């Protein structure tokens, strides 16, 4: 028997581990299962290169609960340790056996999948245990060892009678951590952190039914047996080559990741790179809602198949945080508890690679099957538009596949849009005017007028469209976007006016004066336009600049995106001077009757823009009933 002191630099290392080193106590199980996996994979590598003269077999890791004895067991069939190795790797805190192994076998062990990095993972056991035992036997022909420590720097190390290779870690669970003796809790943690570990993990048993023999009698009763309950998938889809997977495999893995997600993903992107860093993974485009926040934290980050976090900020570009899937990389620098990222140049390289890969995939999907891409556009546009705003590298490539749909369900790229508008929608300065609607139903009458004049109207209805328009205009000096219910289109587009006012200049002046008399000057600028007599007599538009600034201010939240506060409600009241109502107003001598006509027409125009509310709406309804009577 030997005794000694664990080689630590401070006496209070265990309270430090328990309280400060690891932010979340539950990760102790992840660390211990990761260590067991390392031990198994190391043995696999040594047997493959002939250094370990043993049969590798089909080893598993077993997790067992002894509720009565208040113990939790983690058992592996890996390479085990000699007494000397226990002294070296366990008693010298922060000496990483995995790192030493990788250094020794760096040429041949590159792809062996060793997980450990820090040498502190084992000591996370003391976050939940008042005493920890290790019973271990090396694959070498040497005696087994039994190490015990009660959470102080004191330990004992004695020979053990274990005859099979591997290690068993026994945690004597502390009174304040008895939840980790509950089956549902351990299963939850194993499913969360170790669901895709590269070695099979057994937790309990399950009942399995034997197949019915061919010559079984009619009254045959199926036999059942108890079998190991393997709770993980050691070979998840992202560890395989894309060429080895079918579309059905990707969908199956999606539902394995998200068992409660019943909708199929729209498409996937398989990531696979080994230079200048190692990274694999699968990203899925689900159907998107317009709520940007609700979609986040759906991508899972793994390190050598060990779950780390679903907070992938920094690794995955922000706009792709709304996707789902898995990213796995041994090159992601994590802090000592693996719960957060460390600043590192590789992180930015990984982010740039993912951005480029997604852009390439979008272009490929667009080129291979444009019709299918167009059908899915409304479900993916929020991600791609957000990417154009937030990632310059993505914006550079976006022109090849980002679409701009019309209200008639035609889809244009930006280049196609420019070509389509060139002949018919140019302003007096030679700029192309892109008319768009943000709400097809609410702006129906304005869309109808524009279409009647032969103009193309786009449907741009995402919540970030005002910001996207600003960027597109900034990068295309001969392009301007105007919402269809903004300034009257005939003023914006250099098209020969086919309508001539039926009123003389004096009559037009008198009409403008009369209307202004009964319309609030603080909110409305009265404008006369000669339009088709069948067009609406009164229309409300909003100056494009004012409307856009108001939208930008509101979308920024708080005091406005640029700190501009609230904008005044300013509108144009466009009066159709060729309408019968305009003539009637002019010919009516009774001021009260004139006022009633003008207010009724103004309220109808307000209704079409959703501006009539509260007392004004109540007064309008009463006035309308009076007119009916």
């Amino acid at each position: 028997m030997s005794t000694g002191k664990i080689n630590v630099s401070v006496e209070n290392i265990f309270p430090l581990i328990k309280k400060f080193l690891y932010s979340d106590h539950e990760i102790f199980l992840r660390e211990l299962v990761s260590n067991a996996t390392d031990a198994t994979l190391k043995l696999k590598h040594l047997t493959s290169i002939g250094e370990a003269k043993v049969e590798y077999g089909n080893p598993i890791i077993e997790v067992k609960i002894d509720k009565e004895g208040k113990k939790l067991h983690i058992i592996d069939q890996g390479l085990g340790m000699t007494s000397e190795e226990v002294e070296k790797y366990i008693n010298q805190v922060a000496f990483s056996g995995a790192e030493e192994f990788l250094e020794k076998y760096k040429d041949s062990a590159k792809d062996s999948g060793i997980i450990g990095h820090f040498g502190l993972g084992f000591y996370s056991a003391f976050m939940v245990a008042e005493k920890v035992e290790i019973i271990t036997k090396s694959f070498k022909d040497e005696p087994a060892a039994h190490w015990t420590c009660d959470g102080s720097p004191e330990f004992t190390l004695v020979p053990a009678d274990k005859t099979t290779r591997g290690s068993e870690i026994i945690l004597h669970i502390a009174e304040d951590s008895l939840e980790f003796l509950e089956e549902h809790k351990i299963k939850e943690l194993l499913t969360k952190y170790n669901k895709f570990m590269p070695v099979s993990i057994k937790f309990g048993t399950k009942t399995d039914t034997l197949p019915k023999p061919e010559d079984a009698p009619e009254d045959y009763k199926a036999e059942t047996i108890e079998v190991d309950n393997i709770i993980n998938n050691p070979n998840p889809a992202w560890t395989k080559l894309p060429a080895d997977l079918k579309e059905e495999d990707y969908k199956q893995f999606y539902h394995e990741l998200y068992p409660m997600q019943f909708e199929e993903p729209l498409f996937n992107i398989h990531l696979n790179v080994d230079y200048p860093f190692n990274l694999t993974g699968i990203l899925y485009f689900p159907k998107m809602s317009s709520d940007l926040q609700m979609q986040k934290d759906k991508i899972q980050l793994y390190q050598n198949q060990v779950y780390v976090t679903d907070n992938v900020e920094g690794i995955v570009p922000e706009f792709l945080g709304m996707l789902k899937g898995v990213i796995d990389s041994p090159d992601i620098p994590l802090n000592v508890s693996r719960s957060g990222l460390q600043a590192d140049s590789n992180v930015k390289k990984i982010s740039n690679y993912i951005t480029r890969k997604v852009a390439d995939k979008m272009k490929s999907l667009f080129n291979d099957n444009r019709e299918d891409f167009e059908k899915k556009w409304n479900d993916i546009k929020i991600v791609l538009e957000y990417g154009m705003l937030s990632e310059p590298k993505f914006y550079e490539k976006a022109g090849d596949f980002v679409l701009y749909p019309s209200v008639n369900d035609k889809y244009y790229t930006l280049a196609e849009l420019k070509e389509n508008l060139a002949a018919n929608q140019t302003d007096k300065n030679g700029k192309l005017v892109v008319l768009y609607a943000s709400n097809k139903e609410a702006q129906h009458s304005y869309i109808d007028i524009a279409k009647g004049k032969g103009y193309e109207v786009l449907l741009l209805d995402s919540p970030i469209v005002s910001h996207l328009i600003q960027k597109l205009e900034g990068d295309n000096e001969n392009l301007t976007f105007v919402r269809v219910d903004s300034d009257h289109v005939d003023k914006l587009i250099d098209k020969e006016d086919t309508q001539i006012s039926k009123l003389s200049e004096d009559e037009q002046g008198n009409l403008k004066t009369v209307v202004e008399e009964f319309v609030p000057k603080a909110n409305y600028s009265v404008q006369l336009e000669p339009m088709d007599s069948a067009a609406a007599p009164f229309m409300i538009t909003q100056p494009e600049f004012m409307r856009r600034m108001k939208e930008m201010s509101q979308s920024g939240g708080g005091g406005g995106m640029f700190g501009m506060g609230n904008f005044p409600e300013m509108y144009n009241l466009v009066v159709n001077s060729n309408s019968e109502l305009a003539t009637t107003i002019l010919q009516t001598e009774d001021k009260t009757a004139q006022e009633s006509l003008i207010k009724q027409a103004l309220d109808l125009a307000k209704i079409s823009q959703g501006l009539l509310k509260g007392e004004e709406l109540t007064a309008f309804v009463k006035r309308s009933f009076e007119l009916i009577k």
Side-chain angles (χ1 to χ4, degrees), residues 314-533:
I315 298 172
V316 175
E318 187 180 0
F319 77 100
L320 294 176
M322 293 176 282
L323 302 188
K324 295 182 177 181
V326 166
I327 288 174
D328 189 335
S329 175
D331 294 334
I332 294 171
L334 300 170
N335 63 23
V336 74
S337 66
R338 305 193 201 190
S339 60
L341 284 171
Q342 294 177 342
D344 187 271
S345 60
N346 266 350
V347 171
K348 187 60 182 171
K349 289 177 186 175
I350 290 171
S351 178
N352 288 340
Y353 165 77
I354 294 172
T355 297
R356 188 174 71 252
K357 186 74 174 178
V358 170
D360 291 344
K361 177 70 172 183
M362 293 298 103
K363 184 178 179 181
S364 171
L365 289 167
F366 176 80
N367 290 338
D368 294 346
N369 191 340
R370 176 165 178 165
E371 183 180 356
D372 185 60
F373 191 81
E374 289 178 355
K375 286 178 183 176
K376 293 173 178 173
W377 177 252
N378 282 330
D379 293 314
I380 64 173
K381 64 185 178 187
I382 189 72
V383 175
L384 304 189
E385 289 173 353
Y386 190 21
M388 291 174 72
L389 286 171
S390 59
E391 288 289 332
K393 291 183 182 298
F394 187 78
Y395 180 80
E396 290 172 13
K397 294 174 173 283
D400 291 332
F401 52 80
V402 166
L403 295 174
Y404 303 87
S406 77
V407 292
N408 295 325
D409 297 322
K410 291 181 182 177
Y411 291 83
Y412 302 96
T413 64
L414 190 60
E416 292 167 348
L417 192 62
K418 291 176 181 178
E419 183 180 349
N420 187 66
L421 302 186
N424 200 39
Q425 291 181 215
T426 308
D427 70 7
K428 293 176 175 61
N429 298 315
K431 278 191 175 184
L432 293 178
V433 178
V434 180
L435 294 175
Y436 73 96
S438 59
N439 187 313
K440 196 172 178 179
E441 299 302 318
Q443 293 149 17
H444 182 270
S445 61
Y446 298 92
I447 295 169
D448 208 40
I449 291 169
K451 285 169 63 179
K453 294 176 179 293
Y455 301 141
E456 185 73 279
V457 181
L458 301 186
L459 181 60
L460 305 179
D461 56 3
S462 74
I464 56 175
V465 72
S466 55
H467 301 284
L468 181 60
I469 283 170
Q470 292 282 105
K471 184 165 184 60
L472 289 170
E473 287 178 334
D475 293 334
N476 297 270
E477 59 179 346
N478 289 321
L479 194 67
T480 184
F481 285 78
V482 178
R483 206 169 80 175
V484 72
D485 59 345
S486 295
D487 300 304
H488 197 257
V489 292
D490 284 340
K491 277 188 158 188
L492 296 165
I493 298 173
D494 189 18
K495 188 172 182 181
E496 188 176 338
D497 195 350
T498 56
Q499 295 292 331
I500 300 171
S501 180
K502 296 176 181 178
L503 303 179
S504 67
E505 286 189 16
D506 287 343
E507 286 174 324
Q508 290 181 60
N510 291 338
L511 177 61
K512 192 170 189 292
T513 301
V514 170
V515 174
E516 285 178 337
E517 189 176 343
F518 300 111
V519 171
K521 292 182 176 63
N523 302 106
Y524 294 95
S525 170
V526 177
Q527 300 173 0
L528 267 57
E529 294 286 343
M531 293 181 273
D532 189 286
S533 59

Side-chain angles (χ1 to χ4, degrees), residues 18-162:
K18 187 156 187 169
K19 290 187 178 178
F20 304 114
L21 185 58
Y22 289 88
S23 57
D24 193 345
H25 285 195
E26 70 179 28
I27 57 85
F28 81 92
L29 190 58
R30 177 189 71 185
E31 295 300 309
L32 295 178
V33 174
S34 294
N35 286 349
T37 302
D38 276 351
T40 308
L41 294 179
K42 287 177 187 175
L43 181 65
K44 182 179 183 180
H45 181 69
L46 293 178
T47 55
S48 71
I49 62 174
E51 193 161 320
K53 307 296 184 183
V54 296
E55 187 68 35
Y56 179 68
N58 188 27
I60 64 170
I61 296 164
E62 183 175 6
V63 179
K64 292 197 302 186
I65 295 172
D66 174 4
K67 199 166 185 178
E68 188 176 334
K70 296 182 181 179
K71 292 184 283 188
L72 184 66
H73 301 250
I74 296 94
I75 306 162
D76 69 62
Q77 298 160 19
L79 78 174
M81 288 181 285
T82 64
S83 293
E84 290 76 13
E85 287 168 336
V86 171
E87 289 268 14
K88 181 177 183 180
Y89 297 130
I90 300 300
N91 297 339
Q92 295 184 43
V93 173
F95 187 100
S96 173
E99 287 190 349
E100 185 195 36
F101 182 88
L102 285 175
E103 179 60 30
K104 181 177 179 182
Y105 299 102
K106 60 185 175 184
D107 293 326
S108 61
K110 185 173 120 181
D111 300 316
S112 61
I114 307 303
I115 296 165
H117 275 291
F118 310 112
L120 287 166
F122 167 74
Y123 284 92
S124 64
F126 287 96
M127 294 190 298
V128 299
E130 59 188 14
K131 182 170 80 170
V132 178
E133 298 178 69
I134 303 173
I135 302 172
T136 181
K137 177 168 173 51
S138 172
F139 70 96
K140 304 168 188 173
D141 188 19
E142 293 194 33
H146 186 172
W147 178 94
T148 307
C149 179
D150 63 1
S152 71
E154 306 292 334
F155 72 88
T156 62
L157 181 60
V158 298
D161 57 6
K162 181 176 171 64

Side-chain angles (χ1 to χ4, degrees), residues 520 524 540 601-612 616:
Y524 294 95
I540 292 174
L602 176 61
D603 285 351
L604 284 166
K606 283 183 178 180
I607 284 176
S608 72
Q609 278 280 47
L611 297 172
L612 198 65
E616 286 186 337

Side-chain angles (χ1 to χ4, degrees), residues 514 518 538 581 584-585 588 590-604 619-620 622-624 626-627:
V514 170
F518 300 111
F538 280 28
L581 181 62
T584 303
I585 290 170
T588 301
D590 187 322
K591 281 289 183 185
T592 303
Q594 273 187 331
E595 181 180 7
S596 180
L597 286 170
I598 292 168
K599 283 191 172 180
Q600 191 74 0
L602 176 61
D603 285 351
L604 284 166
F620 168 77
K622 287 181 179 178
R623 191 167 62 247
S624 298
E626 288 298 321
L627 288 171

Side-chain angles (χ1 to χ4, degrees), residues 188-251:
E188 173 194 321
L189 296 184
L190 290 172
T191 302
K192 178 179 179 180
Y193 292 110
N194 307 105
K195 187 175 181 178
F196 299 111
M197 294 284 278
V199 178
S200 295
I201 301 168
K202 174 188 173 184
F203 182 57
T205 58
K206 63 180 179 180
T207 303
D208 201 4
T209 304
L210 292 173
K212 183 179 178 180
E214 290 183 12
D215 57 349
E218 288 185 13
D219 60 348
Y220 173 80
K221 290 184 179 179
E223 291 185 56
T224 58
I225 55 170
E226 292 290 312
V227 295
D228 292 348
N229 185 29
I230 303 299
I231 65 166
N232 65 320
N233 174 3
N235 301 295
W238 83 79
T239 64
K240 302 173 184 178
L241 293 173
D244 297 333
L245 296 168
K246 298 177 181 176
E247 191 61 31
E248 196 54 42
D249 297 321
Y250 286 110
K251 289 181 180 178

Side-chain angles (χ1 to χ4, degrees), residues 546-565:
M546 289 294 292
R547 183 196 58 72
R548 196 180 294 185
M549 287 299 101
K550 183 180 176 183
E551 279 184 1
M552 296 283 281
S553 176
Q554 290 172 339
S555 66
M561 185 176 183
F562 306 109
M564 296 181 290

